[in-house]
Amino acid sequence: MAIKLSQLRNFTAVVDAGAVRQAARMLHLSQSSVTKSIQQLEQELGVPLLHRGAQGVTPTAAGQALLGRVKAIEAQLRHARNDVEAVAGASVGEIRVSASPTVAMGLLPRGIIAFQRAHPRVTFRILEGVYPDVLPTVRTGDIDIAICLVPGRPRDETLSFISLIKDRLVPAVRSDHPLLARRKLRLADLLDLDWIIYRRSRSGLDVFEQTFVANRLPPPESTVECTSFACALALVESGNYATLVPSQIFASARRPLSIAPVMLDAPMQPWQVAAISRPEHELSAVCRAFLRELRRTAAKIGLPPDGRRRAGRSKPAA
């Protein structure tokens, strides 16, 4: 008996869903047919692929190895389809992008809008993810391009790293916060503020913590820790809080007027906004074209060298 693509598809769906019932619903199949398909796949390979428990299903070591190969095959098939369609003269295809929430508010929307003017039939799937948590999905091909803040070049020779812009995290408060009237501030002077700690990374120090550590300061303690960047901004806009945001969100004329950067006496440490992917020769033509557009878009943003906004800011309330 040969392994069927439908078996691999069903196996991947079950692992992604964490339950046979939910996977069957997504695949528009009966639960019994999905179960039978995976059992046949296990018999063909001679190893169990799933741990089945009360909390759902998880892949065994063999299942995890198979999953990585299946994801890579799916990515290659998708890229092959994109390339064939491009050769046929139809600029179509799908691009899967992972972006950190801060990048998703600035660079990425501009890049997609500019790209789709020339490639209106290319579709995008956008997921939220942060460095370094996104790297496994890039390696498997589940994500084509990850765009995120990184402290340096990833130590992985299997990945392509393209530096797009340099940015800095800057403290931000509501636009009428009395702190904005003060001068000669240092980051250490802000430690006693009520901070919204935005945290997404599950591995190692996240960007928030690393910013304070790099300035030889302990990360501030806070009663509010948030995994939603939109919620963090809303709290800062409406309350007496501070948080760290990339300066690129203030570089546009359409910047959020309800928050403002706190100008410090010394500039904050630089971070790279990078596009991370598998080697470009493994990407489809539309993905390579989008990388070129990201470079062009990034070159137009033109952040100040120290990442701080030079234009006037809203006058603080008396």
Side-chain angles (χ1 to χ4, degrees), residues 208-225:
F208 192 100
E209 291 172 313
Q210 288 190 54
T211 298
F212 285 91
V213 170
N215 285 273
R216 300 180 180 179
L217 296 171
E221 297 182 0
S222 176
T223 57
V224 182
E225 190 171 306

Side-chain angles (χ1 to χ4, degrees), residues 99-107 110 130 147-150 165-173 195 198 207-208 211 229-230 232-233 243-252 255-256 259-262 268-274 301 303-304 306-309:
S100 62
T102 51
V103 172
M105 293 184 63
L107 172 63
R110 299 179 210 177
V130 296
I147 311 168
C148 42
L149 286 171
V150 297
I165 55 175
K166 278 190 175 181
D167 203 353
R168 283 174 167 81
L169 295 183
V170 296
V173 294
W195 284 87
Y198 173 74
V207 171
F208 192 100
T211 298
F229 189 64
L233 288 184
T243 195
L244 292 175
V245 300
S247 61
Q248 67 169 286
I249 72 171
F250 298 109
S252 169
R255 71 180 181 90
I259 67 171
V262 178
M268 300 284 279
Q269 72 178 104
W271 290 80
Q272 295 284 341
V273 176
I301 290 181
L303 293 177
D306 63 0
R308 293 182 296 174
R309 184 174 174 82

Side-chain angles (χ1 to χ4, degrees), residues 151-289:
R153 185 179 296 273
R155 297 177 182 177
D156 191 326
E157 297 300 322
T158 66
L159 297 178
S160 170
F161 173 96
I162 299 173
S163 179
L164 298 172
I165 55 175
K166 278 190 175 181
D167 203 353
R168 283 174 167 81
L169 295 183
V170 296
V173 294
R174 70 175 193 271
S175 57
D176 61 349
H177 197 290
L179 186 70
L180 296 175
R182 294 177 57 184
R183 297 291 184 269
K184 295 185 177 180
L185 287 169
R186 299 170 303 160
L187 186 60
D189 298 326
L190 310 182
L191 286 178
D192 292 335
L193 294 176
D194 292 324
W195 284 87
I196 303 294
I197 299 178
Y198 173 74
R199 192 188 309 275
R200 284 298 303 268
S201 180
R202 297 185 297 274
S203 50
L205 287 174
D206 62 14
V207 171
F208 192 100
E209 291 172 313
Q210 288 190 54
T211 298
F212 285 91
V213 170
N215 285 273
R216 300 180 180 179
L217 296 171
E221 297 182 0
S222 176
T223 57
V224 182
E225 190 171 306
C226 189
T227 61
S228 165
F229 189 64
C231 182
L233 288 184
L235 286 165
V236 172
E237 290 170 354
S238 304
N240 205 32
Y241 299 103
T243 195
L244 292 175
V245 300
S247 61
Q248 67 169 286
I249 72 171
F250 298 109
S252 169
R254 297 181 62 186
R255 71 180 181 90
L257 299 177
S258 50
I259 67 171
V262 178
M263 298 304 178
L264 301 178
D265 227 18
M268 300 284 279
Q269 72 178 104
W271 290 80
Q272 295 284 341
V273 176
I276 305 171
S277 68
R278 287 170 295 116
E280 289 195 35
H281 69 269
E282 296 183 17
L283 299 178
S284 67
V286 290
C287 286
R288 295 194 297 270

Side-chain angles (χ1 to χ4, degrees), residues 45-126:
L45 295 173
V47 291
L49 299 173
L50 298 173
H51 292 296
R52 298 166 175 84
Q55 302 301 318
V57 297
T58 56
T60 62
Q64 193 65 51
L66 177 63
L67 182 67
R69 292 292 185 180
V70 173
K71 295 280 189 181
I73 291 170
E74 288 177 343
Q76 289 300 320
L77 288 173
R78 182 162 46 84
H79 291 318
R81 183 173 60 250
N82 289 346
D83 286 344
V84 169
E85 290 169 339
V87 169
S91 184
V92 299
E94 179 185 80
I95 303 175
R96 298 184 185 185
V97 180
S98 174
S100 62
T102 51
V103 172
M105 293 184 63
L107 172 63
L108 182 59
R110 299 179 210 177
I112 290 176
I113 290 169
F115 186 76
Q116 286 203 314
R117 289 194 187 106
H119 305 83
R121 296 179 61 195
V122 173
T123 60
F124 283 85
R125 281 188 57 189
I126 302 172

